[in-house]
């Protein structure tokens, strides 16, 4: 079928049917609303939700589950930093408060360099990392000079050095999507943004627990995540470059199981940049670690492209030929042919090399920005119950969202909003995020692909966007007050069969900054119910018609979270 075709009217009803998982089963925790109405789905009266204790103002339910962490049999591999979610019936049931003196966040791009102290009132990082040019406190603000442990003279100089070491990296063209492991306050990712590179900055909630909160307060993409015992929630071949600067991870432990996870997420032909003491220190222990790293990367078929100063850069092969030509019995082995490298939800790490697709899918992408609107090869490998060709569905979704966002910009004055950190809770192919870029809104989007539907996350990354797999019946791994805007299209119609929609709404309140906005597109009965819950949370909620008019089966619920709650 030709790529050139006439896109007719886009039918959101078709979209709702096709994205759903028809084989999905109801969870044992039925929707709270259905419990209270005897399972009939009738309307209920929602009381006003209480404010949580002040001690919960930075609560991340699945990372702060103290009782579950105490019950762990072992913590030596970082298990305590992984997800341990509350059981059904013990989820968040109150509104997480803001710190005393909280102010509307400083807008981007100023927020890259300074944020209000009262919004993240913690000085541990200043005390521990002040000498490394990460962060400083000046009166009522934190300042971010742009340094890091291995680049105290600034991220820009460091990025230039990497470009000079390997010119083929070409920030913002060949290299568009990056993972920064152990990111600190995410200055590496913050400075890449001006080079048209989007970085998923990750770090565990450890002794420097607020580093991810600082990153998000700055307006930089970030998420709490740990290399421990489970796969990270990103697909195979997601990142063009993965970076680790003194990220305190022993990549060679347990037969290289953690570096094998890097290998799974690294795009064919992608780069791994490692800035750490074993690269440059001539001490016996560090030199031994360097030899172990060389040995492991050689067995992984990575090529050491350049070693200069305190940085070493490897390149992953473009295909499986090197793996298949290794001596028989070489470890680590290739993963079994039936192992799905895109299966990530609570999947254990494996001591094997994820196979690259024999058809080359994921390896050959157009440069940025062309890749944003180009249907990628991996679109053909996505499982879908689609009535029309995948490329047509991809282009129709892009056209649909671009027209909607264009109307929002024109009629609802979106360019006046202080949009920076955006979360799309049911992202599909990433058409909503692509439309924000097309309309030149200066923000970034965390595209969430729910486990209740089809896994479109590889397509999102191939487009040059970022995202994560998630189950909305569980809390999300971010700090409170870290997103300006939450978008949910058709989410609640699907998830109400599996879990409590009021729990999802409370989680949205936790993630949303005071002064932030929510747009929910869903069926009329769902929207009416959500409006009641929104009012019970103290949001200002308005129901609007969609562009299809007042007789459509869908409505839009727009909500504002007030800066101060009564």
């Amino acid at each position: 079928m030709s790529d050139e075709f006439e896109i007719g009217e886009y039918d959101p009803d078709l979209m709702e049917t096709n994205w759903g998982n028809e084989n999905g089963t109801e969870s044992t925790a039925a929707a709270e609303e259905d419990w209270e109405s005897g399972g009939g789905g009738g309307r209920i009266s929602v009381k006003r939700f209480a404010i949580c204790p002040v001690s919960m103002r930075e609560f991340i339910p699945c990372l702060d589950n103290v009782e579950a962490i105490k019950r762990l049999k072992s913590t030596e591999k970082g298990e305590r930093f992984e997800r341990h979610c509350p059981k059904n019936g013990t989820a968040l049931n109150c509104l997480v408060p803001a710190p005393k003196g909280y102010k509307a966040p400083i807008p981007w791009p100023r927020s890259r360099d300074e944020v209000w102290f009262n919004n993240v009132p913690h000085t541990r990082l200043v005390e521990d990392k002040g000498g490394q040019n990460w962060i400083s406190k000046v009166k009522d603000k934190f300042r971010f000079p742009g340094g890091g442990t291995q680049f105290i003279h600034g991220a820009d100089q460091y990025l230039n050095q990497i470009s000079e070491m390997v010119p083929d990296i070409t920030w913002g063209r060949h290299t568009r999507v990056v993972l920064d492991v152990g990111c600190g306050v995410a200055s590496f990712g913050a400075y890449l943004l001006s080079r048209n590179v989007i970085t998923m900055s990750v770090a565990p909630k450890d002794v420097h627990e607020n580093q991810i909160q600082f990153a998000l307060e700055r307006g930089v993409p970030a998420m709490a995540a740990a290399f421990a015992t489970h796969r990270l929630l990103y697909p195979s071949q997601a990142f063009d470059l993965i970076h680790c600067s003194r990220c305190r991870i022993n990549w060679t432990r347990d037969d290289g199981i953690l570096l094998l996870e890097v290998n799974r997420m690294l795009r064919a032909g992608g780069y791994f940049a490692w800035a750490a003491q074993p690269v440059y220190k001539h001490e016996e222990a560090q030199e031994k670690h360097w030899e172990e790293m060389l040995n492991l990367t050689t067995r992984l078929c990575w090529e050491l492209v350049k070693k200069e100063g305190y940085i070493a850069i490897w390149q992953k092969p473009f295909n499986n030929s090197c793996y298949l030509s290794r001596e028989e019995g070489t470890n680590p082995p290739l993963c079994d042919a039936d192992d799905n490298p895109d299966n990530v939800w609570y999947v254990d790490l494996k001591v094997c090399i994820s196979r690259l697709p024999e058809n080359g899918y994921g390896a050959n992408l157009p440069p940025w920005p062309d890749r944003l609107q180009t249907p990628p090869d991996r679109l053909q490998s996505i499982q879908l119950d689609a009535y029309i060709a995948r490329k047509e569905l991809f282009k129709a979704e892009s056209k649909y969202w671009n027209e909607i966002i264009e109307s929002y910009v024109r009629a609802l004055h979106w360019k006046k909003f202080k949009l920076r950190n955006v979360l799309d809770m049911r992202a599909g192919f990433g058409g909503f995020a692509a439309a924000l870029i097309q309309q030149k809104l200066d923000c970034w989007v965390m595209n969430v692909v729910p486990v209740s539907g089809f896994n479109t996350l590889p397509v999102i990354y191939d487009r040059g966007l970022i995202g994560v797999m998630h189950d909305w019946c569980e809390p999300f791994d971010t700090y409170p007050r870290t997103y300006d805007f939450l978008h949910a299209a058709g989410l609640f119609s699907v998830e109400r069969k599996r879990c409590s929609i009021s729990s999802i709404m409370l989680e949205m309140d936790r993630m949303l900054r005071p002064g932030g906005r929510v747009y929910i597109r869903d069926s009329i009965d769902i929207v009416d119910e959500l409006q009641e819950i929104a009012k019970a949370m103290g949001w200002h909620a308005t129901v609007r018609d969609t562009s299809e008019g007042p007789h459509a089966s869908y409505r839009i619920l727009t909500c504002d979270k007030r800066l101060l709650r009564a």
Side-chain angles (χ1 to χ4, degrees):
M1 179 173 289
S2 169
D3 285 354
E4 299 301 322
F5 67 97
E6 189 80 20
I7 298 179
E9 288 299 312
Y10 183 63
D11 184 356
D13 289 320
L14 174 67
M15 202 64 182
E16 298 307 328
T17 301
N18 290 339
W19 286 126
N21 183 352
E22 295 300 321
N23 298 319
T25 57
E26 289 206 4
S27 88
T28 53
E32 180 181 285
E33 290 76 10
D34 283 347
W35 296 342
E36 297 190 36
S37 60
R43 292 292 303 279
I44 61 166
S45 174
V46 183
K47 297 178 182 178
R48 190 170 180 86
F49 290 97
I51 305 295
C52 302
V54 172
S55 59
M56 294 176 66
R57 70 186 186 190
E58 285 155 10
F59 184 58
I60 305 177
C62 295
L63 303 184
D64 291 328
N65 191 345
V66 176
E67 292 305 314
I69 293 170
K70 283 180 181 176
R71 291 194 298 270
L72 290 173
K73 294 178 181 177
S74 172
T75 59
E76 64 180 19
K77 295 180 180 178
E79 292 91 341
R80 66 186 180 277
F81 302 127
E82 295 185 302
R83 291 171 60 80
H84 305 284
C85 294
K87 294 187 182 298
N88 294 327
T90 60
L92 188 70
N93 62 358
C94 55
L95 305 170
V96 174
K100 185 178 180 180
Y102 182 90
K103 299 180 182 180
I106 293 171
W108 183 267
R110 277 178 52 215
S111 62
R112 187 195 75 171
D113 302 325
E114 60 180 21
V115 302
W116 297 116
F117 169 79
N118 283 340
N119 290 11
V120 192
H122 299 281
T123 57
R124 173 73 184 263
L125 274 178
V126 176
E127 294 159 5
D128 290 356
K129 301 294 183 180
Q132 296 173 11
N133 219 21
W134 279 29
I135 182 173
S136 62
K137 184 178 180 296
V138 181
K139 296 181 179 177
D140 59 351
K141 293 176 183 173
F142 286 112
R143 297 278 171 82
F144 303 94
T149 305
Q150 292 286 177
F151 48 97
I152 61 172
H153 299 299
D156 263 334
Q157 180 181 329
Y158 181 70
L159 294 171
N160 289 338
Q161 181 182 352
I162 291 174
S163 295
E164 290 163 7
M165 288 173 67
V166 185
D168 286 348
I169 284 175
T170 54
W171 301 121
R173 290 280 292 165
H174 174 73
T175 301
R176 160 63 184 174
V177 188
V178 168
L179 178 70
D180 187 19
V181 182
C183 63
V185 293
S187 288
F188 181 80
Y191 281 79
L192 275 173
L193 285 165
S194 62
R195 303 181 188 222
N196 288 322
V197 176
I198 189 162
T199 304
M200 180 76 81
S201 297
V202 300
K205 189 179 182 187
D206 58 9
V207 291
H208 302 306
E209 62 176 26
N210 297 95
Q211 51 195 328
I212 294 299
Q213 192 177 16
F214 277 119
L216 287 160
E217 185 70 17
R218 295 175 75 183
V220 179
M223 189 172 177
F227 279 81
T229 68
H230 292 117
R231 283 178 172 174
L232 273 68
L233 302 176
Y234 318 119
S236 66
Q237 296 200 78
F239 301 102
D240 306 317
L241 181 142
I242 296 179
H243 170 257
C244 157
S245 172
R246 289 289 287 276
C247 56
R248 300 191 299 168
I249 293 176
N250 181 358
W251 296 115
T252 59
R253 78 154 169 88
D254 296 335
D255 301 317
I257 194 170
L258 301 182
L259 200 64
L260 286 163
E261 175 64 355
V262 167
N263 184 75
R264 181 188 69 82
M265 296 185 293
L266 192 59
R267 194 172 298 283
Y271 296 94
F272 177 68
W274 191 41
Q277 290 183 350
V279 176
Y280 64 92
K281 277 206 169 181
H282 300 293
E283 299 171 1
E284 185 177 352
Q286 302 297 349
E287 288 181 343
K288 182 183 177 184
H289 194 177
W290 172 250
E291 290 301 320
E292 290 172 352
M293 191 70 168
L294 275 184
N295 182 279
L296 174 60
T297 52
T298 299
R299 286 183 279 119
L300 290 183
C301 291
W302 287 8
E303 178 191 356
L304 179 59
V305 182
K306 190 83 172 183
K307 178 174 179 279
E308 178 183 291
Y310 47 81
I311 308 173
I313 301 176
W314 285 268
Q315 185 175 28
K316 177 179 173 175
F318 283 90
N319 54 50
N320 295 320
S321 60
C322 173
Y323 305 141
L324 297 172
S325 64
R326 297 180 307 167
E327 285 187 21
E328 189 175 348
T330 300
N331 287 318
L334 278 174
C335 295
D336 293 339
D338 61 355
D339 177 70
N340 181 358
D342 296 324
N343 185 15
V344 297
W345 190 247
Y346 290 117
V347 174
D348 291 341
L349 293 179
K350 302 177 181 181
V351 186
C352 61
I353 299 172
S354 295
R355 295 170 184 261
L356 290 166
E358 294 297 338
N359 53 20
Y361 282 6
N364 300 310
L365 295 173
W368 179 264
D370 297 345
R371 65 191 271 191
L372 181 65
Q373 300 298 348
T374 304
D377 292 338
R378 285 203 285 182
L379 180 63
Q380 303 307 318
S381 63
I382 301 300
Q383 181 190 357
L384 287 179
D385 290 341
Y387 303 129
I388 56 178
R390 284 172 169 78
K391 285 188 178 180
E392 291 190 14
L393 190 60
F394 175 94
K395 291 185 176 183
E397 189 208 68
S398 293
K399 182 175 185 289
Y400 176 72
W401 283 117
N402 200 51
E403 288 177 354
I404 288 174
I405 300 305
E406 186 178 29
S407 71
Y408 286 169
V409 169
R410 184 180 63 254
L412 302 179
H413 311 293
W414 270 30
K415 287 199 173 174
K416 292 183 179 179
F417 290 178
K418 293 176 181 176
L419 285 186
R420 182 59 195 167
N421 302 354
V422 177
L423 187 72
D424 188 1
M425 299 176 70
R426 188 167 179 254
F429 292 134
F432 177 80
L436 293 177
I437 293 172
Q438 290 287 100
Q439 295 299 322
K440 296 182 169 52
L441 290 161
D442 195 6
C443 59
W444 61 271
V445 180
M446 182 71 78
N447 294 281
V448 178
V449 173
V451 299
S452 54
F454 297 112
N455 185 2
T456 54
L457 207 50
V459 173
I460 287 169
Y461 276 90
D462 287 357
R463 297 187 77 170
L465 306 170
I466 59 170
V468 64
M469 181 70 72
H470 184 63
D471 185 344
W472 285 114
C473 294
E474 297 184 3
F476 194 71
D477 291 340
T478 193
Y479 280 85
R481 302 172 302 282
T482 46
Y483 284 91
D484 303 298
F485 189 92
L486 305 179
H487 178 253
L491 176 78
F492 290 93
S493 296
V494 175
E495 302 299 9
R496 74 176 306 177
K497 303 169 188 174
R498 305 175 60 245
C499 50
S500 162
I501 64 174
S502 64
S503 291
I504 299 174
M505 289 283 280
L506 283 165
E507 176 65 0
M508 292 170 73
D509 182 83
R510 187 186 70 84
M511 296 187 293
L512 190 64
R513 286 172 165 174
R517 290 179 168 86
V518 173
Y519 271 53
I520 298 171
R521 299 173 68 90
D522 223 308
S523 60
I524 293 173
D525 61 323
I526 291 278
V527 164
D528 287 346
E529 206 167 327
L530 294 176
Q531 186 179 25
E532 295 298 318
I533 298 170
K535 289 177 180 177
M537 296 193 305
W539 291 1
H540 181 264
T542 304
V543 177
R544 303 172 184 270
D545 291 333
T546 65
S547 58
E548 290 85 3
H551 301 296
S553 57
Y554 288 82
R555 294 284 186 273
I556 303 172
L557 178 66
T558 65
C559 304
D560 297 332
K561 179 178 176 179
R562 299 301 171 85
L563 191 60
L564 296 174
R565 274 202 188 94

